[in-house]
Amino acid sequence: MRRVIFGLMAAILALSIAVGLAPQTSASSHREAPMIADDPTADVTDVYAFVSPDSPDTVTIIANWIPFEDPAGGPNFYKFSANALYEIQIDNDGDARADITYSFRFRNHIRNPNTFLYNTGPITSLSDPDYNQFQTYEIGRHRRQTGGGPVRVRFETLATNLIVPPVNIGPASTPDYEALASMAIYSLPGNRKVFVGQRDDPFFVDLGAIFDLLTIRPGPPGNMGGGRDDLSGFNVHTIALQVPITDLTRDGQMPVKYDDPNAVIGIWAQTSRPNVTVIDQRFDTPPAQPRFVQVSRLGNPLVNEVLIPLAKKDEFNHMEPYGDPEFEPYILNPEPAVLLNALYGLSVPTTNRTDLKAVLLTGVPKGLIPGFATFTGPRSADMLRLNLAIPPSGSPQRLGVLGGDLDGFPNGRRLTDDVVDIELQAVAGAVLAALDPSVPPPPPLGDGVNQNDVPFLPTFPYVATPHQGFEHSHHRMEPPTAAQ
């Protein structure tokens, strides 16, 4: 009997991981693989991409790194690694290879090495002498061009020596933090904008309740729990870009119709580390430039987190999307569906899940949903797909396309999209039910956390102000809300 109980407990824990609600991770990509869990400054936690609501001729791409930043983590506060290459990748021709890359490299600076302090007084500007430990960065843009001949890469430096704002220490050290953050919004050539720095972690999920043997907090019927946002009070480090839509399309034009072959792009973020080279200087010369090895990547939330098995997670992080056909069987035959059937008495198909393949690996073809398509081609690849011709929604729904809002996930990903509930319901068969009336809709599963702990900004960089070290709290209780 004890063996049966332990087996059920293991299955429940496996379910909590499978639906993206385990506490050491999230439904996105916080500590999702064994090797990257040991390297937080290289860990891509989330990627967002959307047509900018206040500037609809542009796209905003947000990528976050460094999970679970405690705001009071001094005296050596969190920062980007000066030994890493951070990249945002764009595929605009459907071959699952990067056609456009925005690259970021960082440098550390110390004004006064004879103190242990991060700052020696209140920081009132990015160039303030009291800002003792600071970072600068440079941005490059790579464009891959084939033209029917050999592949060529055109590179341009967009900016150098841009200053990263300090972390939000507290009222004595950073008395007007948003003013400092505003100073770090830079205009770039080509009508582009960039912000790089600490922000509130915009992901929201009840990790603690699910991990405690699936103990669901009392909440409204149908949405499982009353919900505590366990990422409440934690920060991340953000790279946010806003660029013209014509900067990203294959033909350099603004797509007008949703079924324009140039309307859909694939997006992912990745981190690379220098390859280690051992050289005997008696016989060899050190290379002039280090070679980088990819150690982390993220396109869609959930894929590596809960669909790729443990033995394959590190390999997945090392590969580009072009190699993802190797991982297609794990999406077509998803383990979470087996667990949902066993624990909730559902009858979700567990094999040949072409619906999940369409959502996560190829995009949704034209004709399945009126006025909607994110199809990039037959090659399976984990990329966040965005249809640039679908305008921003005037009334965003947290369930995105499942909620009838074609501007939301899996058409890109907005900060307000509740990807935990969306993907949990998708695995449970919500997409199948929407496409086939003979398939019964699943229960509206969810964790009961339907929004971020703090409001997002209405303008670029949109991600909320980071929590300060002097005064912050975790695990804010969200009032129960009706399932949407």
Side-chain angles (χ1 to χ4, degrees):
M1 181 65 179
R2 180 177 297 178
R3 182 177 299 176
V4 173
I5 292 173
F6 284 161
L8 178 58
M9 290 169 61
I12 290 173
L13 285 174
L15 172 66
S16 69
I17 295 172
V19 299
L21 302 174
Q24 77 167 44
T25 61
S26 71
S28 275
S29 183
H30 297 54
R31 297 170 50 85
E32 83 288 346
M35 290 183 66
I36 201 61
D38 292 336
D39 191 4
T41 57
D43 189 352
V44 190
T45 66
D46 286 283
V47 176
Y48 303 85
F50 48 88
V51 176
S52 310
D54 56 333
S55 182
D57 60 343
T58 69
V59 167
T60 296
I61 302 172
I62 296 167
N64 295 330
W65 280 265
I66 316 178
F68 300 105
E69 289 187 11
D70 190 289
N76 294 299
F77 289 97
Y78 297 95
K79 60 186 177 183
F80 286 101
S81 173
N83 193 38
L85 173 63
Y86 299 88
E87 294 177 307
I88 292 173
Q89 309 280 20
I90 312 294
D91 170 30
N92 60 23
D93 61 7
D95 66 354
R97 297 186 187 276
D99 297 295
I100 297 171
T101 299
Y102 296 94
S103 61
F104 297 77
R105 294 294 308 276
F106 293 85
R107 287 187 176 183
N108 298 326
H109 304 269
I110 299 176
R111 289 191 166 99
N112 180 5
N114 297 316
T115 178
F116 76 94
L117 293 171
Y118 179 83
N119 58 295
T120 54
I123 303 173
T124 57
S125 72
L126 299 185
S127 59
D128 193 321
D130 290 323
Y131 187 9
N132 188 44
Q133 299 181 42
F134 67 100
Q135 286 191 308
T136 58
Y137 65 100
E138 62 181 39
I139 310 175
R141 184 177 186 269
H142 311 247
R143 186 176 184 91
R144 177 174 171 262
Q145 298 173 310
T146 57
V151 174
R152 294 173 292 123
V153 176
R154 178 186 174 191
F155 173 78
E156 59 180 320
T157 299
L158 297 182
T160 60
N161 296 318
L162 301 183
I163 302 176
V164 179
V167 300
N168 193 1
I169 306 168
S173 295
T174 49
D176 189 350
Y177 190 80
E178 268 311 301
L180 290 171
S182 296
M183 297 174 192
I185 299 175
Y186 294 100
S187 296
L188 303 175
N191 195 30
R192 307 173 181 114
K193 291 182 183 178
V194 67
F195 171 87
V196 174
Q198 189 181 54
R199 294 276 91 185
D200 161 67
D201 190 334
F203 190 63
F204 46 94
V205 61
D206 190 338
L207 304 172
I210 300 300
F211 192 67
D212 190 17
L213 298 180
L214 211 59
T215 302
I216 304 302
R217 308 179 202 276
N223 201 33
M224 292 181 67
R228 288 183 181 179
D229 180 5
D230 287 311
L231 295 177
S232 170
F234 289 103
N235 296 326
V236 290
H237 265 61
T238 293
I239 291 176
L241 271 174
Q242 189 171 90
V243 300
I245 289 177
T246 53
D247 208 30
L248 304 178
T249 53
R250 180 178 8 173
D251 59 358
Q253 301 297 312
M254 175 79 75
V256 177
K257 297 181 179 180
Y258 80 96
D259 56 354
D260 185 323
N262 296 314
V264 180
I265 59 174
I267 302 158
W268 69 97
Q270 67 186 47
T271 321
S272 300
R273 291 284 192 192
N275 190 22
V276 175
T277 303
V278 179
I279 295 174
D280 187 333
Q281 291 189 344
R282 295 174 300 173
F283 306 108
D284 213 338
T285 302
Q289 295 292 334
R291 292 189 304 160
F292 283 91
V293 176
Q294 180 180 312
V295 296
S296 178
R297 62 138 161 160
L298 179 66
N300 284 295
L302 183 75
V303 173
N304 195 12
E305 184 82 12
V306 305
L307 294 175
I308 307 301
L310 186 61
K312 292 285 188 178
K313 288 180 177 294
D314 290 327
E315 179 185 352
F316 184 93
N317 265 346
H318 284 290
M319 295 182 64
E320 296 183 349
Y322 184 82
D324 285 349
E326 172 186 344
F327 305 102
E328 182 179 310
Y330 305 115
I331 283 75
L332 287 172
N333 310 291
E335 182 183 8
V338 177
L339 298 171
L340 287 173
N341 288 344
L343 296 179
Y344 288 97
L346 304 179
S347 56
V348 181
T350 58
T351 60
N352 197 32
R353 289 296 299 271
T354 55
D355 59 317
L356 296 181
K357 176 182 175 180
V359 169
L360 299 173
L361 295 184
T362 65
V364 179
K366 172 186 175 182
L368 295 179
I369 301 173
F372 183 83
T374 56
F375 187 67
T376 54
R379 188 172 191 88
S380 291
D382 173 30
M383 302 185 294
L384 187 64
R385 290 166 173 84
L386 176 64
N387 190 312
L388 302 169
I390 295 178
S393 172
S395 54
Q397 300 295 311
R398 69 177 183 89
L399 293 181
V401 175
L402 284 184
D405 182 358
L406 303 186
D407 177 41
F409 182 78
N411 179 26
R413 180 184 175 190
R414 302 166 301 191
L415 294 169
T416 55
D417 287 338
D418 192 348
V419 295
V420 172
D421 287 10
I422 294 170
E423 295 195 336
L424 178 57
Q425 293 182 31
V427 171
V431 177
L432 287 174
L435 299 178
D436 185 352
S438 67
V439 176
L445 302 175
D447 65 341
V449 181
N450 299 337
Q451 61 188 22
N452 195 43
D453 60 317
V454 291
F456 299 119
L457 303 181
T459 57
F460 184 82
Y462 305 104
V463 194
T465 301
H467 304 273
Q468 66 171 229
F470 182 79
E471 189 71 45
H472 66 277
S473 62
H474 301 294
H475 304 296
R476 182 186 67 84
M477 177 70 81
E478 177 176 291
T481 57
Q484 295 184 19

